Amino acid sequence: MLELKNQFIFAPIKLGYSENGKINDRHLAFYKERSKYLGAVIPEPFYLDKGLREIPTQMGIDNDDKIEGLKKLTSLLHKNDTKAIAHLNHPGRMANPKIPGNYYVSSTARACESGGAVPRKLEKEEMKKIINLFVDAAIRAKKSNFDIIELQFGHGYLIAQFISPAVNDRTDEYGGNFDNRIKFPLEILKAVKNAVDIPVIVRISGDEMTPNGIKLPEMIEFSKILELNGVDAIHVSAGTVCSTPPWYFQHMFVPKGKTWDMAKKIKENVNIPIIAVGQINEIEDIEKITDNEMADYIAVGRAVVADPDFIGKYLGEVKGNIAPCLACAEGCLGGVKSGQGLQCLVNPEVGKERELIKKAKQSKKYAVIGAGLAGMEAAIILKKRGHKVDLYEKDELGGQFVFAPLTPHKKSMEKLVPYFEKELEFGGVKIIFKEITKPEDVNKYDKVILATGSKPAVPQIEGLDKYYWAEILLKENLPENKKVLIIGGGLIGIDIATALIPKGNKVTIVKRTTDFGEDMEMIAKKLSLKMMEKSDTVFRDHTYIKKVDGRTVYAERNGESIQFEDIDIIVVSTGMRSYNPLEEKLKGKLPIYVIGDAKEIGNAQDAIREGFEIGRKL
């Protein structure tokens, strides 16, 4: 039995904070902040061999030199009466092809269809060595005082590459029918259970969400067999890192709750605990899973990244508003991929848990001008530190971010501005709806923060006198069955296109360069472009708009003149320019600080981070 203090488990999320595979203070600070109210924590997946890393900065359990650091981690967790679960994974063909020294093996000699290295099909002798890798790692986990082992048998990694009929093309006793495909996983399980006397969990994909891949009926049968072989719990996720990353990452583009349904169906067929996971980021999600008896345990991941006290607040042990996870993958996936380590769009403290917010030595009076994301965050942090803060806004709170949830699949983003509104109210920040235009408006303050944002950068085009920007997304503006030309193919242009298409609009999108959606998060970009291509969107790269004449638009593409006929509506999304009308007026009169887009054009995460940093330092 797992015997946890409550039903909540922190799911394994890659941090990307390690050097040489070892635990450091950054890891410890991250997990210390998040382990207080959880029954157990599964740290990021451990690599079993240095040549099997998914990211260069991954934690390892490949050598005894890792044990000292791992003991520090388990000791920290145990001080909170929180169990430690070691997640052991062999990526197989999904080891990172960009890491020097990595090697690639699988049940097949075919590379993942989405890219990656070509693997070598494993020989039987090599499979014995892989079993030993798992066993040695499990023994090290036990020596490091981990309470439980979790074996990764899903998500398109090596063991799933044997289980999946879409990948396994072997003709020996490890390929072909279901019994053969699960033989190697069971050999690993039995070897690990013989090597250590602590509970063993198995993580599976209830469905790989790809044609001919792992499907739920087989996973129900597999779960019954796992139970017979002494598994203590089954952790039910979905997807494959190779073919269906949106399901693997539980991205905002996939529907919430599918993985919980899979967990429930498996739970109905076995008598061991089931762990549900996947976009569990609201109190209502926990209640639905609990009330409908969909699982025995609940694994939360990015929700606890966004708000370390998410479960504490659910349990009533911590007061305050829950910072929402948007399931956007902007900071968590983007930060790890960029090499900076795990970050979060909503929570700028992620990865910086050691840098505490300290009370100000002397309270000052601040005017924050502009209530976009940067301004709201700055006001909240300044107020927390004991300053007196007035937040000025001429329109509505949220700035340009109010348009983000109006695009398909991004509805989760509508939680962010209301959260900020609650935090402003909770902190006692005074909001004044007034446009500041002259120095006299702020002469009673000690310091001023300018967060006035940005405005669309509109190119000079002959005849372009009627056009939309993101305001076309508003319900009263959104057209139907029109022929729309979008000038500019970055994030805003792509998002607008995906909102226009379901309304029957015929979209043409033009860009001066080649990479449509170049500034987008990877998964959102891929799925958005796929949707546009399916809807026969016309893409034109290397295109310069020269003139608009009625419903005809004249352009130049690769040096040749072209034109677009019968255009009903033009949308301009050619970037943004900083809007900062007050800096010159206020210079020399009192200290001023410029943040967010008013200083330099960035994204939502940049804005929140800048607001946080200025609030923390002043």
Side-chain angles (χ1 to χ4, degrees):
M1 294 297 292
L2 303 186
E3 296 179 348
L4 310 185
K5 70 182 179 187
N6 62 38
Q7 81 229 62
F8 298 106
I9 299 171
F10 186 54
I13 287 180
K14 296 181 187 72
L15 304 191
Y17 297 160
S18 192
E19 295 176 20
N20 301 317
K22 293 183 179 180
I23 297 282
N24 57 39
D25 289 344
R26 199 177 177 194
H27 292 112
L28 297 176
F30 176 89
Y31 288 115
K32 180 181 180 181
E33 193 72 14
R34 286 162 177 81
S35 60
K36 301 170 194 169
Y37 308 104
L38 297 168
V41 166
I42 311 175
E44 78 173 9
F46 296 131
Y47 65 76
L48 311 183
D49 182 292
K50 197 173 182 180
L52 296 171
R53 286 174 291 165
E54 293 181 75
I55 54 174
T57 49
Q58 187 175 354
M59 285 194 241
I61 198 166
D62 60 319
N63 192 289
D64 285 354
D65 66 358
K66 310 295 191 303
I67 292 175
E68 181 184 353
L70 292 170
K71 278 185 173 179
K72 289 181 182 178
L73 176 56
T74 55
S75 174
L76 179 152
L77 298 176
H78 290 154
K79 284 176 184 175
N80 288 325
D81 191 25
T82 300
K83 295 286 179 73
I85 303 176
H87 181 93
L88 309 182
N89 178 34
H90 191 306
R93 66 177 185 172
M94 299 313 297
N96 192 328
K98 295 180 181 178
I99 298 178
N102 265 4
Y103 61 92
Y104 315 92
V105 295
S106 183
S107 62
T108 179
R110 291 178 289 119
C112 164
E113 63 271 16
S114 299
V118 176
R120 188 178 71 257
K121 187 181 286 192
L122 282 164
E123 301 289 341
K124 292 177 188 175
E125 284 304 309
E126 293 177 294
M127 291 165 69
K128 291 177 183 176
K129 292 179 181 177
I130 288 170
I131 292 172
N132 289 335
L133 281 178
F134 276 97
V135 166
D136 291 345
I139 291 170
R140 287 189 195 102
K142 176 76 187 301
K143 287 180 179 177
S144 303
N145 300 323
F146 279 89
D147 306 286
I148 301 164
I149 302 289
E150 177 170 84
L151 301 176
Q152 173 62 284
F153 282 9
H155 282 165
Y157 292 118
L158 178 66
I159 310 310
Q161 291 160 28
F162 273 83
I163 299 169
S164 178
V167 180
N168 188 337
D169 56 9
R170 301 177 73 93
T171 55
D172 61 6
E173 68 266 36
Y174 293 99
N177 64 42
F178 173 70
D179 290 337
N180 286 359
R181 286 184 278 113
I182 65 170
K183 186 176 180 182
F184 185 43
L186 292 178
E187 289 176 355
I188 291 171
L189 171 63
K190 289 172 184 174
V192 168
K193 283 192 67 65
N194 286 335
V196 293
D197 59 352
I198 56 178
V200 176
I201 296 170
V202 169
R203 197 176 208 203
I204 63 171
S205 290
D207 192 311
E208 288 190 316
M209 311 304 287
T210 185
N212 306 315
I214 290 170
K215 296 296 176 188
L216 186 58
E218 277 195 343
M219 285 300 95
I220 290 172
E221 292 308 307
F222 186 45
S223 297
K224 292 176 183 177
I225 293 166
L226 292 174
E227 180 180 10
L228 291 174
N229 281 271
V231 165
D232 293 272
I234 298 171
H235 190 170
V236 184
S237 186
T240 153
V241 68
C242 164
S243 307
T244 51
W247 286 96
Y248 167 80
F249 288 109
Q250 283 295 297
H251 192 269
M252 62 184 172
F253 274 52
V254 304
K256 180 187 284 195
K258 289 272 189 182
T259 49
W260 318 342
D261 291 333
M262 294 174 200
K264 181 176 173 65
K265 288 184 172 68
I266 290 174
K267 177 174 166 58
E268 290 168 352
N269 284 275
V270 296
N271 295 302
I272 54 175
I274 297 298
I275 305 166
V277 72
Q279 285 194 67
I280 301 169
N281 51 30
E282 297 175 287
I283 286 175
E284 294 79 9
D285 302 334
I286 296 171
E287 290 172 343
K288 182 175 179 179
I289 293 167
T290 304
D291 293 347
N292 292 286
E293 298 182 350
M294 303 176 93
D296 303 280
Y297 294 97
I298 294 174
V300 287
R302 287 173 296 166
V304 180
V305 175
D307 190 334
D309 293 327
F310 172 51
I311 297 303
K313 289 171 182 176
Y314 167 77
L315 295 172
E317 296 183 35
V318 180
K319 291 181 180 179
N321 305 304
I322 293 173
C325 170
L326 309 182
C328 62
E330 292 277 357
C332 46
L333 177 56
V336 172
K337 281 193 163 292
S338 70
Q340 299 174 74
L342 186 78
Q343 299 173 355
C344 178
L345 184 154
V346 173
N347 183 356
E349 295 183 73
V350 172
K352 299 179 179 180
E353 285 80 8
R354 292 170 293 170
E355 302 172 22
L356 301 176
I357 297 175
K358 297 177 182 176
K359 283 287 183 184
K361 292 178 182 177
Q362 184 180 358
S363 179
K364 301 275 187 181
K365 287 184 72 176
Y366 280 90
V368 179
I369 302 173
L373 299 182
M376 290 192 292
E377 178 73 8
I380 289 164
I381 301 302
L382 286 168
K383 188 70 176 176
K384 274 184 183 177
R385 294 185 55 232
H387 294 296
K388 298 178 179 70
V389 185
D390 290 340
L391 176 62
Y392 288 88
E393 172 56 49
K394 66 175 181 176
D395 295 318
E396 60 179 322
L397 302 184
Q400 295 159 13
F401 197 80
V402 298
F403 296 111
L406 303 179
T407 59
H409 309 300
K410 291 192 174 182
K411 190 170 169 48
S412 65
M413 290 190 164
E414 71 183 5
K415 296 182 282 188
L416 187 57
V417 174
Y419 163 71
F420 271 111
E421 291 173 347
K422 288 177 185 175
E423 285 290 277
L424 290 166
E425 183 182 356
F426 185 75
V429 175
K430 185 178 180 182
I431 302 169
I432 303 169
F433 288 97
K434 174 185 175 182
E435 183 175 7
I436 301 297
T437 58
K438 52 190 185 298
E440 302 89 84
D441 292 336
V442 291
N443 58 14
K444 65 179 180 179
Y445 297 98
D446 298 310
K447 298 181 181 182
V448 174
I449 293 174
L450 299 178
T452 44
S454 59
K455 290 185 177 293
V458 180
Q460 295 293 316
I461 297 171
E462 183 183 345
L464 179 65
D465 52 17
K466 186 179 179 184
Y467 57 88
Y468 284 97
W469 179 65
E471 74 275 4
I472 197 171
L473 297 170
L474 297 171
K475 192 175 181 180
E476 61 267 26
N477 294 338
L478 199 60
E480 294 185 18
N481 304 313
K482 299 292 184 182
K483 200 168 179 182
V484 183
L485 174 68
I486 300 177
I487 304 172
L491 182 150
I492 294 174
I494 297 298
D495 272 356
I496 290 171
T498 61
L500 292 171
I501 288 166
K503 294 291 184 180
N505 297 292
K506 176 67 177 171
V507 174
T508 297
I509 186 165
V510 302
K511 197 176 195 299
R512 291 184 174 187
T513 54
T514 57
D515 187 5
F516 287 88
E518 62 186 334
D519 46 355
M520 295 181 74
E521 180 272 319
M522 177 188 71
I523 294 175
K525 173 182 175 178
K526 187 173 181 179
L527 293 179
S528 296
L529 292 177
K530 188 176 180 181
M531 171 193 176
M532 291 166 69
E533 287 161 2
K534 279 186 175 179
S535 303
D536 297 323
T537 298
V538 177
F539 293 88
R540 290 291 179 265
D541 57 9
H542 294 299
T543 299
Y544 293 75
I545 302 299
K546 297 295 186 181
K547 178 183 175 183
V548 177
D549 184 6
R551 296 181 66 200
T552 302
V553 179
Y554 297 88
E556 184 179 288
R557 185 173 189 240
N558 294 323
E560 293 184 6
S561 295
I562 61 171
Q563 57 195 61
F564 304 98
E565 303 283 359
D566 303 320
I567 299 300
D568 297 306
I569 294 170
I570 294 175
V571 175
V572 177
S573 59
T574 48
M576 308 298 293
R577 58 178 175 81
S578 294
Y579 179 67
N580 184 9
L582 291 171
E583 186 173 10
E584 286 302 317
K585 294 179 182 179
L586 298 177
K587 249 181 192 174
K589 294 181 172 59
L590 73 173
I592 54 174
Y593 306 87
V594 185
I595 62 170
D597 276 5
K599 178 183 177 184
E600 184 178 355
I601 302 301
N603 57 28
Q605 184 173 324
D606 296 329
I608 293 172
R609 183 178 63 245
E610 282 196 36
F612 173 80
E613 290 296 342
I614 199 76
R616 187 170 66 88
K617 291 174 182 176
L618 289 181

